[in-house]
């Protein structure tokens, strides 16, 4: 069995990470649909969001994105930022892995 390089790992998860990122961004924005419980749900979602981000994106970039995701979710009225989608764009477009 051949171990994958970092670039191969990133490319093999590109589509999966895009769909999961879109789903997680929608979950994060869902709190606006529950006006009474909006910020209470963010208290629960913020650490989950940060953990998911570090699992989806390895290394320092994933750790930094996890912190940003946590802060974005915990700070009131910032849920409109699509953190997971922005991280996907950074990983696969701006910081394009070599095949």
């Amino acid at each position: 069995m051949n171990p994958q390089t970092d670039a191969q790992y990133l490319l093999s998860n590109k589509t999966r990470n895009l769909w999961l990122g879109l789903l997680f961004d929608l979950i994060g924005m869902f709190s606006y649909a529950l006006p009474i419980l909006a910020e209470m749900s963010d208290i629960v979602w913020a650490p989950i969001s940060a953990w998911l981000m570090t699992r989806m994106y390895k290394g320092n970039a994933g750790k930094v994105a996890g912190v940003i995701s946590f802060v974005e979710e915990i700070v009131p009225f910032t849920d409109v930022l699509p953190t997971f989608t922005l991280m996907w764009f950074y990983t696969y477009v701006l910081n394009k892995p070599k095949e």
Side-chain angles (χ1 to χ4, degrees), residues 61-75:
K63 291 174 188 173
V64 170
V67 170
I68 291 170
S69 180
F70 179 83
V71 170
E72 181 258 331
E73 289 296 336
I74 206 75
V75 172

Side-chain angles (χ1 to χ4, degrees), residues 76-97:
F77 309 111
T78 59
D79 294 346
V80 296
L81 298 172
T83 313
F84 283 92
T85 305
L86 291 172
M87 181 58 180
W88 182 90
F89 187 79
Y90 168 77
T91 301
Y92 296 105
V93 177
L94 295 179
N95 194 22
K96 200 177 226 181

Side-chain angles (χ1 to χ4, degrees), residues 14-31 45 48-49 52-53 56-57 69 72-73 79 81-86 88:
K14 183 177 182 178
T15 304
R16 179 199 70 152
N17 284 353
L18 177 60
W19 286 109
L20 284 175
L22 292 170
L23 173 66
F24 297 152
D25 283 334
L26 284 174
I27 291 170
M29 291 178 198
F30 182 70
S31 66
W45 178 244
I48 295 169
S49 169
L52 288 169
M53 187 70 81
M56 287 175 65
Y57 300 99
S69 180
E72 181 258 331
E73 289 296 336
D79 294 346
L81 298 172
T83 313
F84 283 92
T85 305
L86 291 172
W88 182 90

